[in-house]
Amino acid sequence: MNPFTYSHATAVDDAVRDKASHHDAAYIGGGTNLLDLMKENVERPTHLVGLNRLPLATIKNNPEGGLRLGALATNADTAWHPEVEKRYPLLSQAILAGASPQLRNMATNGGNLMQRTRCYYFYDTTTPCNKREPGSGCSAIGGYNRIHAILGTSQSCIATHPSDMCIALAALEAVVRVSGPNGDRTIDFTDFHRLPGNAPHIDNTLRPGELITGLDLPAKGFEKNYSYLKLRDRTSYAFALVSVAAALDLEGNTIKEARLALGGVAHKPWRDTDVEDALKGQPATADTFRKAATQMLQGARGFGSNDFKVELAKRAIVRALKQATEMKQGPSDVFLNSNP
Amino acid sequence: MSQYTNYIGKPTNRVDGPAKVTGAAKYAAEFNVPNLAYGVVVSSPIAKGRIVKVYSKPVLKIAGVLAVFSHENVPNLAWFDRNYKDDVAPGGSPFRPLHEDKIMFNQQPIALVVAETFEVARYAASILEIEYEEEDHETDIELKRAEGFMPGRGKSGWMPPPPPRGKPDKEWKKAAHRIEHEYIHGTQHHNPMELFATTTEYHPDGTITAYDKTQGVYNCQQYISKIFGLSKSEARVVTQYMGGGFGSGLRPQYSLFMSVMAALELKRSVRVSLTRQQMFSFGHRPYTLQYMKLGTNPDGTLAALQHHALHETSRFEEYTENVVNWSGMLYQCDNVKLGYQLAEIDVFTPQDMRAPGAATGSIALEIAMDEMAFEAGLDPVDFRIRNYAETDQNMSKPFSSKRLRDCYHQGASKFGWDRRNPRPRSMREGNMLVGWGMAGGVWDASQKKAAAKASLSGDGKLLVTSATGDIGTGTYTIMTQIAAEYLGLPIEAVTFKLGDTDMPEAPVEGGSWTAASVGTAVKNVCEELGKKLLKQAQKMKGSPLKKATFDEVEFVNGQIRLRLDPNQAVVIRDVLQASGKDKLEAETSATPNLLKQSTHSMHSHNAVFVEVKVDEDLGTIHVTRVVNAVAAGRILNTKTARSQVLGSVVWGISMALMEETVMDHKFGRYMNHNLSEYHIPVNADIHDIQVVFVEEEDEIVNPLGVKGIGEVGLLGVAAAVSNAVFHATGKRVRSLPIYLDKLL
Ligand SMILES: Cc1cc2nc3c(=O)[nH]c(=O)nc-3n(C[C@H](O)[C@H](O)[C@H](O)COP(=O)(O)OP(=O)(O)OC[C@H]3O[C@@H](n4cnc5c(N)ncnc54)[C@H](O)[C@@H]3O)c2cc1C
Ligand code: SF4
């Protein structure tokens, strides 16, 4: 770990300015990811801009009928917020499927979006990794890649974005609000994270120095029919091998609108609007779900240790859509959706 | 034995519990001695090669950095292998930290940076530049199948497999039903919660006290005294509390070497703590390939049994464990062939881990037994009882005691085994398949030489000491109980202390032998002290015990009294007062009674029953119910013993479903070297666990009749999970861990 300086920002402008005025500075929210990366020498900022005193920890209704989540609200406060629980239970469920209570108490919404991949090689500075050291090669291709991507991969990187929260945010079509040296702007959630292409060191479309200030959730929350299903190597406190955020708007048994996003399979939350469009007007049956799953996984490929994810993702989609349709817990769902 | 009434066998709460939960208990890295410097270990990024140069100069310029130690400047130390051999070292040439430029395994400790603060040391270590010359490494045991060899050097406690008996090949071919399969599990690392660390306090007179994390303080003392040329009085080693060991603390770890070396060089106290990543840089349960052949006769008795194992060892030591021998003694079979081989790869030497050997062997044997029962159309419990071994056929000796049959019966009954539909995939709950499986195992009941000291002071307080360890198992508590029992004192008046080389010697805390070994020493020393007390009591004016022999008195409720006339008594405190001494002391040791023991085979056994629920579509497995019936002689404390078995079951589930250290052979490096990606169970993975103790009367194992409970509970758990998964799904998984994708 490097020596570094630290300052608290109390206003967004100050934070942006402070960061811009230092070489190799980084924002720090809960620190649950950044500090680990610093201890592993993966990131070596020389100055930290502390964000926790920014007035961005609130959650309140926005003018468009949706909800605005402050970037500095913790994951726990967000998941347990009455409005989130009532109107966006999919988001609550996704957040609670992640990490542990202790981590969620520290982790901020902004930090959650910005957390970096859990690729073993990215974390181990003795091995080549294009994301950590552009041009050094990708060790995961041809190496151990159980937790790696099967969709949208490139020859330079097959890492996944590890967040659970972001999968629900993608399905709910949240909008990211940012402030930067050149002013404020918004980014549609699906455009926020990017695919690795030949620049895997860039995780997202945030411009240098930009700060996430909040997230806007649209009015429609799919609170009646939803499911966040997460499959992992132990029941809690593990990252997703595959996760599915499913949200349905049903009229009787007919799908009026569907949202589907996959986690653990790509460098970004994976959505396919063609699949969602194809679900429109279909009966909510196992057959429909299977077709959607097949379509969603078109073009997916494994890299050895993660080959199983292609089939697992299909089955998970079918199950999540079924759970969203039925909204009742079968015996197995008690284990699958328990989030201690 | 019936005289045990007051303390032995009772569910006494942990006497060290309050110290642990209040933080008063201090662990190796928590001794904040004055003027402490901090060392951070630099680990090799390559698996094999040599160090060309260590560029220490830039690092030494950093304010606060005191020294950079590497093979380039490490002081002249002992040279011979024997100086580096610890009590439990396997055969071969032990690894010597910072000894030479050679790199023999990935993450090898190659330098130590010492600084005024931990932060500076860590930073300096992170930028220390080292130049390497890489050589090709081999780390894949799968590619070394043809290069297995019979170990020649072994290690203490290792027994080569017994020679074949009967006609195992011929009888297998003729058998009515046969199976033949391979079983695999990968590398596993112990991962106790507490990281390895040593705080070496440097005293003005040049002597040292090393607060270390170890399962054997004497082992560590002799290790450092031989390497650094210190006499025993110059090097004290202390481990009062330990945040788990699981075998990782049996051998001295390199934090000890590093911290002592730096302290002696800098003439200053130095602490070295390893990181979680570095916890994957030393001993581990070896990657093991096993091959089983079983055949049955038409009546369901075993016609033939063959069990072969091949596992990794390092290039420099022959790590051995008893993997296959158990298969020759758990069941009655006259045609048996057992084989055991090692293959060398470029890793650190494996190390005993949670029931070493038996945990591994019982996976293959007990899954195979389940397969065999299925082939022969027999119930797995019935099949085992048909093949019950009444004698140890490996040794041709009777068992000192063995109530495994009762474990089968009591375990099955508690579990409700009779309601099992034997057909795979026949039991369901909604979209989940339910499976019931069982297995079992056998473990050594051994006793080692151990010593203890007892001191009774005028206020009636008893202090008993022995340099054993408590790795969280309950040693403090059971030794307190034994002492209170034998001297008839209130348990609050007894204090037991351990883990200090200033105390009488005890063996490393492992092998499940501590209760038997140290327990007997504590019993003996209390009896010695009792004899002294009696002598003093007889000197008292009008003593009612004047003519009593030691056998005629008993120590109960703070009194010495006549067994036949309990009203004839003296109060122990009064004895001390009357004697005019401020304390009475005794010190003695206990050695195994080999004459008695050598005629018998001494073992503990268990039978474990497991329920799993498997999501058929998604492959997720939950172990919803476990009953573990254990026969391990006398149970000294039903609470701590139960906790040990609960822990064993958790580790068994862990082994079955989660644990695996994955090596990337391109780098010869373990890649999931952290607790985020090396999975062990969390609370949500653990459900109902019930423990049944089938107590055995055993006068042969040791005077206390205890067999040790630390390891036996783990045996068969992983196999039972796999067997239950088969019963649930019809899929037989012979390679652990059973990740969900193996069921897709
Ligand atoms: C053991 C463990 C298990 C975990 N398991 C899960 C899991 O199962 N599922 C899951 O989803 N997550 C999991 N996490 C990750 C956790 O959710 C993230 O670490 C957390 O959300 C990050 O938030 P933070 O506020 O602590 O970010 P920090 O660590 O403070 O920052 C992370 C990054 O975001 C940047 N940043 C922070 N705030 C802002 C902002 N407002 N604007 C711009 N940049 C910003 C920082 O500069 C840094 O680069 C786990 C973490 C750990 C340590
Ligand atoms: S997958 Fe991406 S993060 Fe992982 S090693 Fe390859 S380049 Fe690095």
Side-chain angles (χ1 to χ4, degrees):
Chain A
M1 200 184 222
N2 271 353
F4 58 87
T5 53
Y6 178 87
S7 62
H8 288 297
T10 48
V12 170
D13 290 356
D14 295 344
V16 171
R17 217 175 304 119
D18 189 20
K19 180 160 190 292
S21 69
H22 287 84
H23 189 61
D24 285 337
Y27 295 126
I28 181 161
T32 61
N33 188 217
L34 184 60
L35 287 181
D36 280 0
L37 291 165
M38 288 167 68
K39 287 184 199 164
E40 302 280 349
N41 297 308
V42 175
E43 297 198 11
R44 292 175 159 257
T46 52
H47 179 69
L48 296 183
V49 182
L51 303 180
N52 284 309
R53 293 188 189 170
L54 295 181
L56 297 175
T58 54
I59 294 173
K60 48 179 188 258
N61 292 326
N62 69 15
E64 293 79 38
L67 198 66
R68 181 164 300 171
L69 312 173
L72 271 301
T74 66
N75 286 179
D77 285 346
T78 307
W80 299 112
H81 193 278
E83 287 295 305
V84 177
E85 284 190 296
K86 192 170 82 197
R87 295 166 62 192
Y88 309 95
L90 175 65
L91 179 59
S92 272
Q93 210 180 26
I95 295 174
L96 296 178
S100 67
Q102 295 91 328
L103 283 158
R104 296 192 298 259
N105 285 342
M106 285 303 291
T108 63
N109 292 338
N112 194 305
L113 266 58
M114 298 293 291
Q115 64 174 299
R116 309 213 64 192
T117 185
R118 308 305 289 202
C119 170
Y120 325 102
Y121 304 93
F122 175 69
Y123 262 82
D124 188 329
T125 54
T126 69
T127 59
C129 166
N130 285 327
K131 189 182 271 300
R132 181 170 26 79
E133 216 181 304
S136 62
C138 171
S139 300
I141 298 175
Y144 181 52
N145 46 43
R146 179 173 178 78
I147 57 174
H148 287 72
I150 51 171
L151 284 162
T153 54
S154 77
Q155 283 175 341
S156 323
C157 180
I158 59 170
T160 60
H161 191 268
S163 169
D164 291 297
M165 180 184 189
C166 291
I167 311 307
L169 290 172
L172 292 170
E173 297 194 335
V175 172
V176 186
R177 306 178 64 86
V178 307
S179 274
N182 299 321
D184 301 348
R185 63 181 184 120
T186 59
I187 309 169
D188 285 350
F189 206 84
T190 27
D191 298 331
F192 184 80
H193 296 101
R194 58 184 294 281
L195 291 179
N198 52 18
H201 59 291
I202 306 171
D203 290 350
N204 53 51
T205 54
L206 215 56
R207 296 184 194 131
E210 276 182 332
L211 174 79
I212 300 171
T213 56
L215 290 155
D216 277 345
L217 294 171
K220 187 160 184 168
F222 295 90
E223 71 285 356
K224 287 209 187 70
N225 294 90
Y226 64 91
S227 166
Y228 187 75
L229 177 64
K230 179 175 179 181
L231 300 171
R232 42 190 150 175
D233 279 330
R234 65 179 160 202
T235 310
S236 170
Y237 205 26
F239 288 93
L241 292 167
V242 165
S243 71
V244 184
L248 295 173
D249 187 354
L250 293 174
E251 205 171 73
N253 197 39
T254 306
I255 301 171
K256 265 174 64 189
E257 193 179 350
R259 298 277 177 79
L260 203 51
L262 298 184
V265 297
H267 201 256
K268 61 185 287 188
W270 190 261
R271 260 187 85 188
D272 185 337
T273 44
D274 288 348
V275 178
E276 293 173 4
D277 289 344
L279 279 166
K280 267 187 205 158
Q282 298 297 310
T285 60
D287 206 35
T288 304
F289 302 157
R290 269 195 294 272
K291 277 195 200 124
T294 310
Q295 194 186 348
M296 190 90 170
L297 271 295
Q298 252 168 26
R301 62 159 290 205
F303 291 84
S305 4
N306 70 347
D307 290 347
F308 69 94
K309 280 191 178 185
V310 180
E311 179 61 24
L312 186 68
K314 288 184 193 166
R315 297 186 188 194
I317 290 171
V318 173
R319 175 66 60 83
L321 286 168
K322 181 169 179 279
Q323 287 182 344
T325 305
E326 296 173 358
M327 289 308 286
K328 64 167 195 266
Q329 297 246 306
S332 178
D333 304 326
V334 175
F335 294 124
L336 292 172
N337 302 109
S338 76
N339 295 307
Chain B
M1 299 246 177
S2 52
Q3 85 261 25
Y4 296 138
T5 47
N6 288 330
Y7 300 114
I8 290 182
K10 295 284 152 63
T12 308
N13 284 341
R14 275 171 201 275
V15 296
D16 51 331
K20 281 188 170 170
V21 299
T22 56
K26 274 201 190 177
Y27 295 80
E30 296 179 334
F31 287 86
N32 292 325
V33 299
N35 196 25
L36 186 61
Y38 298 80
V40 167
V41 178
V42 178
S43 310
S44 165
I46 64 168
K48 195 172 183 173
R50 55 177 285 274
I51 304 166
V52 178
K53 179 140 187 58
V54 180
Y55 295 92
S56 346
K57 273 207 189 113
V59 163
L60 286 167
K61 285 196 193 121
I62 298 170
V65 172
L66 297 167
V68 177
F69 294 104
S70 70
H71 71 284
E72 290 181 357
N73 65 342
V74 83
N76 257 336
L77 297 173
W79 171 256
F80 297 106
D81 274 348
R82 62 170 146 65
N83 296 99
Y84 290 83
K85 252 198 158 54
D86 64 275
D87 286 349
V88 284
S93 182
F95 170 64
R96 307 166 190 191
L98 309 189
H99 183 71
E100 54 184 351
D101 61 353
K102 209 163 136 190
I103 292 174
M104 297 187 286
F105 56 95
N106 213 316
Q107 279 202 300
Q108 176 175 322
I110 49 178
L112 181 78
V113 179
V114 187
E116 293 287 350
T117 67
F118 170 66
E119 288 75 15
V120 169
R122 179 169 60 174
Y123 167 62
S126 79
I127 60 165
L128 178 66
E129 208 182 308
I130 299 176
E131 192 182 327
Y132 306 93
E133 203 171 87
E134 259 190 275
E135 283 166 42
D136 291 342
H137 59 263
E138 288 178 307
T139 48
D140 192 352
I141 187 84
E142 297 277 357
L143 304 177
K144 306 281 279 183
R145 283 170 183 263
E147 292 171 44
F149 61 91
M150 242 321 259
R153 297 175 287 186
K155 78 175 199 310
S156 76
W158 177 70
M159 310 244 284
R165 58 178 182 252
K167 299 183 183 118
D169 288 313
K170 208 167 137 212
E171 293 301 319
W172 184 76
K173 286 202 187 95
K174 279 183 14 200
H177 299 282
R178 284 181 300 195
I179 60 137
E180 181 181 14
H181 292 295
E182 184 173 276
Y183 305 81
I184 299 179
H185 70 68
T187 305
Q188 300 166 5
H189 280 81
H190 308 73
N191 276 309
M193 185 94 84
E194 183 196 5
L195 302 168
F196 274 94
T198 313
T199 305
T200 301
E201 182 173 13
Y202 186 83
H203 303 292
D205 62 356
T207 64
I208 55 163
T209 302
Y211 298 97
D212 189 32
K213 171 182 172 122
T214 174
Q215 291 174 242
V217 285
Y218 267 89
N219 190 24
C220 286
Q221 183 193 43
Q222 64 95 0
Y223 177 78
I224 54 174
S225 40
K226 283 190 307 189
I227 295 174
F228 297 101
L230 299 168
S231 71
K232 303 238 156 151
S233 60
E234 289 169 325
R236 178 176 164 218
V237 180
V238 177
T239 305
Q240 290 169 333
Y241 296 98
M242 199 161 166
F246 313 122
S248 62
L250 290 171
R251 301 187 69 182
Q253 291 302 1
Y254 58 80
S255 53
L256 176 67
F257 172 93
M258 296 281 187
S259 144
V260 170
M261 182 271 296
L264 292 174
E265 282 303 292
L266 299 172
K267 305 201 182 321
R268 186 171 168 180
S269 300
V270 176
R271 173 182 303 155
V272 175
S273 312
L274 303 192
T275 63
R276 181 57 66 183
Q277 285 71 10
Q278 287 167 339
M279 295 292 281
F280 291 79
S281 66
F282 42 76
H284 50 270
R285 195 194 296 284
Y287 196 119
T288 308
L289 308 165
Q290 300 186 70
Y291 197 77
M292 294 282 326
K293 278 178 163 186
L294 292 183
T296 50
N297 298 312
D299 64 354
T301 55
L302 279 169
L305 181 156
Q306 301 193 27
H307 186 177
H308 299 270
L310 168 76
H311 70 67
E312 49 167 301
T313 189
S314 64
R315 301 271 185 201
F316 44 95
E317 284 173 316
E318 286 183 4
Y319 171 76
T320 49
E321 55 184 33
N322 298 320
V323 179
V324 296
N325 305 21
W326 320 98
S327 295
M329 61 178 296
L330 186 54
Y331 302 108
Q332 170 75 27
C333 184
D334 296 334
N335 302 293
V336 173
K337 190 158 84 183
L338 306 173
Y340 177 68
Q341 291 191 319
L342 308 180
E344 286 180 357
I345 52 174
D346 297 303
V347 293
F348 190 78
T349 313
Q351 185 173 357
D352 286 345
M353 171 168 164
R354 303 183 218 129
T360 294
S362 75
I363 291 168
L365 175 64
E366 289 295 278
I367 298 177
M369 283 295 283
D370 198 69
E371 301 191 63
M372 197 66 254
F374 185 73
E375 280 297 314
L378 293 170
D379 172 79
V381 178
D382 176 39
F383 180 50
R384 284 171 173 80
I385 290 175
R386 275 174 207 240
N387 290 288
Y388 197 79
E390 298 289 355
T391 58
D392 175 352
Q393 286 183 289
N394 282 354
M395 315 258 288
S396 305
K397 282 180 191 173
F399 291 104
S400 61
S401 60
K402 176 178 173 181
R403 288 188 64 197
L404 176 59
R405 195 181 268 113
D406 295 307
C407 292
Y408 291 138
H409 290 309
Q410 291 182 29
S413 136
K414 184 137 205 150
F415 188 82
W417 185 258
D418 58 348
R419 297 193 311 271
R420 178 179 186 262
N421 181 337
R423 207 160 42 81
R425 303 179 61 81
S426 61
M427 292 164 57
R428 272 176 187 275
E429 196 181 308
N431 53 1
M432 281 191 301
L433 295 165
V434 179
W436 289 2
M438 60 84 55
V442 48
W443 184 252
D444 294 321
S446 43
Q447 184 192 354
K448 307 262 163 196
K449 185 180 178 198
K453 182 176 173 184
S455 167
L456 186 68
S457 54
D459 56 2
K461 295 235 163 26
L462 178 71
L463 173 68
V464 184
T465 56
S466 173
T468 181
D470 188 334
I471 56 178
T473 44
T475 312
Y476 275 111
T477 312
I478 57 170
M479 297 308 156
T480 306
Q481 286 173 274
I482 294 170
E485 182 77 48
Y486 277 93
L487 279 175
L489 295 169
I491 200 152
E492 304 75 37
V494 180
T495 303
F496 180 75
K497 289 193 172 168
L498 53 71
D500 189 330
T501 49
D502 283 352
M503 297 172 182
E505 184 163 357
V508 295
E509 212 272 13
S512 299
W513 57 54
T514 298
S517 314
V518 182
T520 307
V522 169
K523 168 189 170 289
N524 286 0
V525 83
C526 289
E527 285 175 347
E528 280 295 309
L529 193 67
K531 283 176 190 157
K532 288 190 178 173
L533 270 170
L534 178 61
K535 231 185 220 150
Q536 292 300 331
Q538 289 170 332
K539 287 187 194 152
M540 288 165 75
K541 226 194 260 155
S543 170
L545 307 175
K546 276 248 150 63
K547 293 199 197 102
T549 65
F550 186 67
D551 292 337
E552 285 165 357
V553 300
E554 58 186 10
F555 293 76
V556 182
N557 295 339
Q559 297 179 328
I560 315 174
R561 64 191 192 191
L562 287 179
R563 282 178 198 277
L564 295 178
D565 185 2
N567 289 329
Q568 301 298 315
V570 295
V571 173
I572 291 174
R573 253 159 88 167
D574 296 346
V575 178
L576 234 88
Q577 245 153 40
S579 75
K581 300 183 201 264
D582 56 352
K583 60 182 175 190
L584 265 186
E585 288 190 335
E587 182 169 345
T588 185
S589 63
T591 37
N593 183 339
L594 293 180
L595 212 62
K596 214 168 170 182
Q597 294 180 355
S598 60
T599 52
H600 286 80
S601 170
M602 304 180 299
H603 289 92
S604 52
H605 294 84
N606 78 324
V608 56
F609 297 79
V610 164
E611 173 182 272
V612 298
K613 291 185 178 167
V614 181
D615 189 306
E616 190 173 10
D617 299 328
L618 304 174
T620 51
I621 304 167
H622 287 89
V623 179
T624 45
R625 220 152 54 81
V626 179
V627 173
N628 199 348
V630 178
R634 174 170 298 277
I635 301 303
L636 294 171
N637 180 325
T638 46
K639 193 169 192 173
T640 54
R642 174 174 173 273
S643 292
Q644 288 215 60
V645 178
L646 294 182
S648 294
V649 170
V650 172
W651 281 124
I653 294 171
S654 188
M655 203 174 179
L657 302 181
M658 294 175 201
E659 276 183 84
E660 182 175 37
T661 326
V662 181
M663 167 83 77
D664 184 328
H665 297 297
K666 192 164 53 204
F667 306 111
R669 189 170 172 93
Y670 296 118
M671 287 318 302
N672 56 338
H673 47 43
N674 55 66
L675 288 183
S676 172
E677 297 301 335
Y678 182 92
H679 293 121
I680 56 172
V682 294
N683 279 327
D685 294 299
I686 302 302
H687 301 272
D688 184 34
I689 304 173
Q690 299 198 42
V691 180
V692 178
F693 287 118
V694 176
E695 288 218 25
E696 296 167 319
E697 294 267 320
D698 194 326
E699 312 231 313
I700 292 158
V701 279
N702 52 65
L704 289 170
V706 303
K707 289 182 174 177
I709 196 78
E711 284 153 299
V712 64
L714 173 60
L715 306 179
V717 178
V721 171
S722 176
N723 296 341
V725 166
F726 171 75
H727 182 237
T729 64
K731 283 191 184 134
R732 186 62 77 176
V733 185
R734 300 187 186 89
S735 91
L736 303 184
I738 314 175
Y739 285 142
L740 56 77
D741 46 292
K742 291 186 181 164
L743 298 183
L744 287 185

